[in-house]
Amino acid sequence: MSKRKEEATVYSQEMLTDGIYSLWIETSMASQAKAGQFIGVFTGDGTKLLARPISICDVKSDENLLRMVYRVSGGGTDLISKLKKGDKVSVIGVLGNGYEKAACGYNEESSNCELIPLNKSLEGKKVIVIGGGIGIPPMLLAAKSLQCEKVMVLGYANKNTFLKDEFDKLGQVYISTDDGSLGTKGTVIDAIKENGVSGDVIFACGPMPMLRGIKAYAKEHGMKAYISLEERMACGVGACLGCVTKTVNKDHHTHVNNTRICVEGPVFDSEVVDI
Ligand SMILES: Cc1cc2nc3c(=O)[nH]c(=O)nc-3n(C[C@H](O)[C@H](O)[C@H](O)COP(=O)(O)OP(=O)(O)OC[C@H]3O[C@@H](n4cnc5c(N)ncnc54)[C@H](O)[C@@H]3O)c2cc1C
Ligand code: FES
């Protein structure tokens, strides 16, 4: 799939809760976008040349609409939050592998180039879909894409949730909050244990400590976990090596224990990455 830069048009923008925005844009990329992939959003400010990587939260491909839900965490996302309906915004995409490619081990640069549709790879399996903090948005499209049995576990800081009502429409949702103001007090793993949640496969995105916990939990319970590493990036297209993460085994070509999150990821089999 080719990556390209495009002028998209803002379809709508709203604040969901303090500092968290939902942005729908009109772009031809909507028809190609898969769960776990992301796009690069340019801010239009000459001092911030790099596109900001934001996950795809939802798509309406028949209307060419693609949604991102993001937190204002610095100057770039602050500028993006000022965009209004009808504004033009430059985007590059679609970027990254997504859950579908990760779940079938697809890798253009190794020998496995067979892309198996997500729901075929997971036939007969039950998936635990886990999102933590600003890792929650990409899990909405992931949950919507899964036709198999699934349960969702979402971790928030407190009861000021976002997107929860949309997940509720998709099936059983369990919540954890850091302060205990809603659901289980503690982590998503605490919510899984407290509610006796079980499954065969985990799909997850969230902060690194959460992903480390999920990797350990999956290993302990003999489960597969596909985790999205939303680490800091620069070019976003594989050229600068600004996003490498350690891998358990050596890369086929470079013979080092490294992989680029922006191209080979951001979604990895948790057993493959040394996090
Ligand atoms: C693949 C991928 C998908 C992402 N998806 C989303 C998403 O769906 N929603 C969302 O809100 N954010 C997402 N992010 C994070 C988002 O890209 C950053 O918050 C954004 O680039 C910050 O830009 P800025 O100019 O506003 O802030 P900057 O001024 O560049 O940084 C402000 C603060 O944010 C921190 N920061 C910057 N990048 C990251 C990062 N990747 N992870 C954690 N902290 C960071 C910096 O350390 C700094 O403290 C994603 C990142 C990646 C790599
Ligand atoms: S961000 Fe440049 S190689 Fe990944």
Side-chain angles (χ1 to χ4, degrees), residues 233-243 260-263:
M233 280 181 189
C235 74
V237 293
C240 73
L241 303 185
C243 65
R260 294 166 301 179
I261 294 174
C262 68
V263 175

Side-chain angles (χ1 to χ4, degrees), residues 15 17-21 70-73:
M15 193 168 85
T17 184
D18 231 12
I20 308 273
Y21 289 79
Y70 62 94
R71 173 182 288 143
V72 171
S73 58

Side-chain angles (χ1 to χ4, degrees), residues 104-238:
C104 69
Y106 179 95
N107 183 346
E108 275 153 19
E109 295 183 16
S110 82
S111 49
N112 182 13
C113 290
E114 192 195 355
L115 180 60
I116 303 169
L118 185 63
N119 287 300
K120 192 155 183 245
S121 294
L122 297 168
E123 214 168 350
K125 301 268 200 310
K126 179 177 176 189
V127 181
I128 310 177
V129 177
I130 306 176
I134 206 60
I136 290 172
M139 305 324 290
L140 185 67
L141 185 57
K144 283 189 175 183
S145 305
L146 289 167
Q147 286 155 15
C148 58
E149 199 185 344
K150 60 184 173 255
V151 56
M152 290 146 284
V153 185
L154 308 176
Y156 295 94
N158 52 49
K159 64 182 176 196
N160 297 328
T161 62
F162 52 92
L163 297 176
K164 181 184 170 302
D165 48 339
E166 297 183 53
F167 280 95
D168 281 336
K169 290 179 195 150
L170 303 175
Q172 179 73 58
V173 179
Y174 296 101
I175 302 289
S176 69
T177 50
D178 296 342
D179 66 359
S181 54
L182 189 70
T184 302
K185 184 177 187 328
T187 67
V188 288
I189 302 283
D190 294 326
I192 287 174
K193 289 180 180 162
E194 187 171 281
N195 295 290
V197 176
S198 63
D200 308 295
V201 179
I202 292 174
F203 277 17
C205 183
M208 194 55 86
M210 180 191 112
L211 298 180
R212 287 196 188 103
I214 287 172
K215 176 176 165 136
Y217 185 86
K219 189 169 182 204
E220 193 186 326
H221 292 81
M223 299 167 76
K224 270 275 171 213
Y226 298 100
I227 56 175
S228 181
L229 308 184
E230 294 196 342
E231 286 301 282
R232 240 178 131 68
M233 280 181 189
C235 74
V237 293

Side-chain angles (χ1 to χ4, degrees), residues 60-137:
K60 291 182 188 167
S61 45
D62 46 343
E63 296 173 65
N64 275 344
L65 293 177
L66 182 150
R67 183 188 194 187
M68 292 162 275
V69 168
Y70 62 94
R71 173 182 288 143
V72 171
S73 58
T77 41
D78 185 46
L79 283 170
I80 295 167
S81 74
K82 306 276 189 298
L83 291 168
K84 303 263 181 313
K85 185 176 175 65
D87 286 349
K88 296 286 178 199
V89 56
S90 293
V91 291
I92 183 167
V94 179
L95 305 175
N97 61 346
Y99 289 94
E100 182 172 70
K101 284 187 176 175
C104 69
Y106 179 95
N107 183 346
E108 275 153 19
E109 295 183 16
S110 82
S111 49
N112 182 13
C113 290
E114 192 195 355
L115 180 60
I116 303 169
L118 185 63
N119 287 300
K120 192 155 183 245
S121 294
L122 297 168
E123 214 168 350
K125 301 268 200 310
K126 179 177 176 189
V127 181
I128 310 177
V129 177
I130 306 176
I134 206 60
I136 290 172

